[in-house]
Amino acid sequence: MAASAIARGRSLCVIDLGKDVAGASPQGHDPAKATEVDVAEALRRKPSTAERSSLEAALAATLWQLWCRRSPVAFSRFCASGSRFHPQLANLGRYHAGQFPRQIGQAVLLSRVDELVLNQLSREWLTPLELFVSAMKARTGLYDWFTHMGDLYLAKRLLEWSRHGHGRVVECREHPGEQSELKRWSFRWHARSETILEALPDLHIAPPVAIGGAVAHDAARAWVCRFDAGGTPYLSRRGEAAASTSDRRA
């Protein structure tokens, strides 16, 4: 909306739904739980409306334009540079970077989201609903991700894994009589494939993920997630030297 307003020479106004809408700051590599707001109740309180300054509108428009790029690097650096000052940027940066495989030293690991999802599997057939309940009991952090992505993402991602590798990592079977996507499928590890939790042997062994204008696990563009000294994630091409904090925030 900000980019459209600027392109049309119009002002941008926002409704203030309350101080808590910004959400909590993340405490680790995962985004904090998404904030839930009863918009109807907030509007009944007749909240104030304020016009965004030209600078605020330009920053929001820039963030959108960076999100749409084929390269995710500039968007990631934008979020990393502002993560100390605004929880929404900190959470957005972690959500975005969490879709890409991680590089720690010379080791390449699963993306944070894939690690959390695949960690729920066993050698027994389990439905996404059973996996979801298991993750909640174990407090793995997966629920916080689902508040941003929706619980159906679990079934969607496991189906992508089973179809991408023809069952070499994740096996799948269908229960045609089930209407719920959380119970329609069952998944389990393919024999001896759990080692993928320890290291990713090939960046392209994981199914691609489209996020913004970029693609994680892109055969032509090997983007990886790294972490600075403070634990803030940022993206770069694999093979590039890790940038210093000052270089990335310049």
Side-chain angles (χ1 to χ4, degrees):
M1 289 187 289
S4 178
I6 291 174
R8 290 168 170 78
R10 297 177 180 176
S11 60
L12 180 68
C13 295
V14 297
I15 297 174
D16 183 4
L17 296 179
K19 294 183 293 184
D20 296 333
V21 175
S25 295
Q27 300 303 309
H29 293 167
D30 300 326
K33 179 183 176 182
T35 301
E36 297 179 358
V37 177
D38 186 333
V39 177
E41 174 59 30
L43 292 177
R44 278 194 288 271
R45 297 196 300 266
K46 297 182 179 180
S48 60
T49 301
E51 182 176 337
R52 281 286 186 250
S53 69
S54 57
L55 177 59
E56 290 172 319
L59 286 173
T62 298
L63 189 63
W64 167 251
Q65 290 157 358
L66 296 179
W67 170 267
C68 295
R69 284 187 181 180
R70 293 183 67 186
S71 166
V73 172
F75 178 86
S76 177
R77 291 181 178 180
F78 189 108
C79 291
S81 65
S83 64
R84 294 173 297 170
F85 308 109
H86 204 294
Q88 287 183 354
L89 281 179
N91 284 313
L92 184 57
R94 282 161 173 75
Y95 171 84
H96 179 251
Q99 315 292 327
F100 291 82
R102 296 164 293 168
Q103 182 166 343
I104 300 177
Q106 297 302 312
V108 178
L109 309 176
L110 288 166
S111 72
R112 177 58 175 160
V113 175
D114 280 338
E115 177 186 57
L116 290 171
V117 168
L118 296 183
N119 251 322
Q120 301 309 308
L121 291 176
S122 74
R123 296 189 181 183
E124 303 296 325
W125 290 107
L126 296 170
T127 65
L129 179 60
E130 292 170 319
L131 295 168
F132 183 88
V133 171
S134 175
M136 297 309 99
K137 290 180 178 178
R139 298 183 178 180
T140 64
L142 196 55
Y143 176 73
D144 291 346
W145 279 93
F146 288 154
T147 64
H148 297 273
M149 309 168 81
D151 53 7
L152 291 180
Y153 179 84
L154 181 57
K156 173 181 177 292
R157 188 59 180 159
L158 287 171
L159 279 171
E160 290 172 347
W161 269 98
S162 66
R163 292 166 177 171
H164 178 72
H166 304 290
R168 289 195 298 270
V169 175
V170 176
E171 296 179 351
C172 170
R173 69 180 181 185
E174 185 177 3
H175 310 291
E178 290 288 348
Q179 298 299 312
S180 170
E181 291 295 311
L182 291 177
K183 295 191 290 184
R184 185 179 175 186
W185 315 91
S186 291
F187 301 93
R188 70 179 182 185
W189 285 114
H190 183 75
R192 297 180 296 280
S193 59
E194 297 97 322
T195 56
I196 199 172
L197 293 171
E198 302 171 5
L200 195 60
D202 188 309
L203 283 177
H204 311 129
I205 199 172
V209 177
I211 180 162
V215 177
H217 307 288
D218 184 347
R221 297 173 179 82
W223 311 112
V224 292
C225 172
R226 293 186 170 100
F227 300 91
D228 67 15
T232 301
Y234 66 97
L235 300 177
S236 63
R237 280 283 189 98
R238 187 184 182 191
E240 290 182 356
S244 68
T245 302
S246 59
D247 287 341
R248 291 189 297 99
R249 292 179 176 169

